[in-house]
Amino acid sequence: MANEEEANLQYPLDSNSYRILDEIGSGVSAIVYKAECLPVNSTLVAIKAIDLDQSRADFDNVRREAKTMSLLSHPNILRAHCSFTVDRRLWVVMPFMSAGSLQSIITSSFPDGLSEPCIAIVLKETLNALSYLHDQGHLHRDIKAGNILIDSNGSVKLADFGVSASIFESNSSHFWSCSSSMMLTDVAGTPYWMAPEVIHSHTGYSFKADIWSFGITALELAHGRPPLSHLPPSKSLIMKITKRFRFSDYEKNKKEKHKKFSKSFMDMVKLCLDQDPSKRPTAEKLLKHSFFKSCRSSEFLVRNVLNGLPSVEARFKESKLRRLASMNKSSETEEDDDEGCSVGQNIKQRRISGWNFNEDGFELDPVFPTETEGEDSVVKQVRFGGESIIKDREDEAGRDSGESNLSSPAGVVGETQVSGDTSEGHGGGGYVDSEVMIGSLMVLKRSLDDQRQQVMDLIGLLHGEEGGGGGEVSREEQLVQVIERMKMESENEKRRNFELEMEMEFLKIQISGASSGEPSSSGGAD
Amino acid sequence: MKGLFKSKPRTPVDLVRQTRELLIYADRSPDSRESKREDKMVELGKLIRELKLVLYGNSESEPVAEACAQLTQEFFKENTLRLLITCLPKLNLEARKDATQVVANLQRQQVHSRLIASDYLEKNIDLMDTLISGYENTDMALHYGAMLRECIRHQTVARYVLESEHMKKFFDYIQLPNFDIAADAAATFKELLTRHKSTVAEFLSKNYDWFFAEYNSKLLESTNYITRRQAIKLLGDILLDRSNSAVMTRYVSSRDNLRILMNLLRESSKSIQIEAFHVFKLFAANQNKPPDIASILVANKSKLLRLFSDFKTDKEDEQFEADKAQVVREIAALEPRDSS
């Protein structure tokens, strides 16, 4: 239980004082445990163990985030009890929020979303936290249901400030979000929830980006998933970045039944999802919206949401299995799509210029502009620069290792080629940091080279076998093994590919974010 | 009470004066009636918040230069900063954070193109003693630490801290178990040793013996991973700075230092290995290697060459590859001396 009085208790700064009970979350460079703190009456805590050697983050960032965390004090913000290092890991000890994140609650028990009164309570509490944060000059940068936690008494707390990132995280689509948060880059976020101006990055990041994410979170709570989440995360992000949207995907989505929502709820979400950041209301102003009038108590959440919920540990285990299953599945569908692309006949492709909030469907709808629309040009430049580089590399690498290993970039490039948009491909890349991009691509190339080497070795091995005249059966077995291995390698490659792409995008965002500067009040805090 | 202050808009000078009055009250009246005291502390918190708003502006308005200058002038005309620092433990968390931001901002405010904060601190340099000892107080460490880092932007203040006895304490502060505090102390330590080039070079030359003895034994050979990683990175930053070339030459002539660096090169942590390489290369590249350094390198020649043969950064780094190639050439060319 996270009682307020606990804040004053001294939690010990050595790992021996804690007994780890179970794993309740994991990411690329961090694991979250449920544990008990032995000297403090065996109080339950959540410990986020972050591998510092994996993050090449410089310590100034780690320090800043840790400091931000420990100086925040608000009933709706999850505050760390303490943090200390255990060999190469940073342990962040936090109150254990026994009901876990809303994302995991929805996934396990409310696949079609929560009821409106419950949504109102959760959102109101979250807004309280957001209003406090913004007042202190901090941005959250990663508002989503996965970062909103509930305790057994129904209290709602916002978590995840870099160091304490994504506590209780268990969504398959976020397997990389942990690593990106761990890098503690200046801009973080998860694609589905990211505001357009954050993705495009040329207008910089402000408090209003958090409001956008808040609006997306409202949709997430209402529908059980964020908009566009029927697409794999790689595609969703690339699509949102490139503003390319496949019409067929959209149609698929439209057919789904949708629930009825109140006028005031839809109005509130609509305000948050205004394309123009300056028109979105502040957190403080949103709190006064009619949707939050006559909001019920946390007791209501306990009765209507928490009752009969599986434990956080059980949900984590379940989601782990689901994640494995969905990873396989999503890679298959992605391959199918790519094949479809290369055949390239029936696929309608449209470029969209933004997202309009569709009040009737209560979803985000893409906007399809005419080709010559002026405001799209900036975006085009971003995309062309990126793609032309990827394309060059891909052509080269594709010869060596085969298309299927490069599913994400090949997918994008493939689409470009099929669409026959020949005006593309000679962009100046004005918004792309070519140095960063080339660095990342060199890494990619090297790993492809390694892989090629391995394939060559295997071929050599097989030739050798042939010369030696090995038995028919064992050859077959070996081939199966080889195929298995290559399959795994290609899976790994795909994942790395995607991670690299993410990293590139974040670096780009970071670079332009860095030049636009931080809000003045937080700048003086250090 | 609320009405009283709402009625007349207060000038920046008023704000500072009223803050000062309440700070004096907070500083020396522990036995007045509890309720009255509480009211005054609330009022003090509000005033500090308003000072912050003048200096930083808010979401609707940018700070006004004239108002900032007036506020700054009034603030340093009397001992407001000392009062604020000594009363900080008596304020609540929000007021402490606001006060820290106010103090930070004031260090950069110019009045008639002078940083008057610097003049004030020179005359009240003992305030640094209070700020530094904040690292020994869990509640105050992050606030005092942040103020301290802003104050050492002034060269004279940084020189005072470097030359004071406090410098020795930093070797312990940066290893405090509490990560937030240790990391804050490490940031201050780094700032002290990198910000003012000439002052740092002078300090390191004068204090070479004890400083590097401590640096090696307490930091580079610490059992704590984070300490070693931060220390080796900072050592690289210091030695590779042109203004510290004399210190660097001296450092790379020591056999003990080479031994420590070679141990760091063997660490399983990639990050530490890479940072260690950036210091190790200075030993190898030194064209006037003392005989004992050369003989250690010769004795370990094959091991070193093997190590470097598959020594890579995660990302392609041309400079790193070039440095590595040079180090490999230097080591490969070393011949055992006839005498040995």
Side-chain angles (χ1 to χ4, degrees), chain A residues 161-351:
Chain A
F161 303 87
V163 165
S164 68
S166 309
I167 176 176
F168 301 131
E169 192 62 80
S170 58
N171 187 336
S172 63
S173 65
H174 307 147
F175 62 93
W176 55 271
S177 84
C178 245
S179 74
S180 74
S181 298
M182 284 321 105
M183 286 164 63
L184 303 165
T185 49
D186 279 332
V187 172
T190 310
Y192 304 131
W193 292 262
M194 277 161 84
E197 74 271 18
V198 176
I199 298 168
H200 299 313
S201 75
H202 48 84
T203 45
Y205 198 113
S206 78
F207 297 120
K208 297 301 180 65
D210 276 348
I211 300 294
W212 171 282
S213 308
F214 177 80
I216 298 290
T217 305
L219 290 178
E220 185 186 9
L221 296 176
H223 291 290
R225 49 168 183 72
L228 302 180
S229 60
H230 55 288
L231 303 173
S234 54
K235 241 175 207 171
S236 162
L237 183 67
I238 288 165
M239 199 184 66
K240 269 177 116 176
I241 289 162
T242 62
K243 293 207 172 197
R244 183 172 300 142
F245 194 89
R246 204 176 296 168
F247 206 61
S248 55
D249 290 335
Y250 174 63
E251 290 290 294
K252 222 186 297 174
N253 188 34
K254 270 294 243 204
K255 280 178 209 138
E256 285 173 34
K257 58 166 185 250
H258 49 252
K259 302 196 282 186
K260 270 281 169 218
F261 296 99
S262 73
K263 192 91 188 118
S264 69
F265 184 31
M266 294 202 285
D267 180 69
M268 193 277 294
V269 176
K270 194 179 162 192
L271 288 171
C272 298
L273 298 181
D274 197 307
Q275 285 295 308
D276 181 354
S278 65
K279 287 190 185 136
R280 290 173 215 152
T282 61
E284 209 186 333
K285 208 169 162 200
L286 261 183
L287 274 169
K288 297 188 181 107
H289 192 276
S290 63
F291 179 60
F292 300 112
K293 294 269 156 63
S294 66
C295 207
R296 309 227 192 184
S297 71
S298 52
E299 189 52 35
F300 187 83
L301 274 185
V302 177
R303 268 184 285 120
N304 291 282
V305 176
L306 305 189
N307 240 340
L309 207 64
S311 74
V312 170
E313 303 91 294
R315 275 181 274 151
F316 174 68
K317 276 180 197 110
E318 189 195 323
S319 78
K320 229 175 169 178
L321 293 172
R322 215 177 14 241
R323 178 178 353 187
L324 280 174
S326 78
M327 258 171 142
N328 288 334
K329 216 166 111 196
S330 78
S331 62
E332 273 166 33
T333 39
E334 240 176 309
E335 265 163 14
D336 288 349
D337 284 359
D338 294 340
E339 275 167 38
C341 259
S342 57
V343 177
Q345 279 152 354
N346 303 323
I347 292 150
K348 281 181 228 165
Q349 284 197 57
R350 301 281 285 276
R351 187 174 296 127

Side-chain angles (χ1 to χ4, degrees), chain B residues 7-21:
Chain B
S7 54
K8 45 176 184 182
R10 288 173 284 192
T11 65
V13 173
D14 289 341
L15 284 176
V16 176
R17 284 189 186 146
Q18 287 170 17
T19 306
R20 187 159 55 225
E21 276 163 28

Side-chain angles (χ1 to χ4, degrees), chain B residues 19 21-22 29 62 68 103 121 125 221 228 236 245 317 331:
Chain B
T19 306
E21 276 163 28
L22 284 174
S29 65
E62 291 288 303
C68 291
V103 172
L121 286 176
I125 201 71
E221 295 188 302
R228 288 199 307 280
S245 59
D317 182 342
I331 294 174

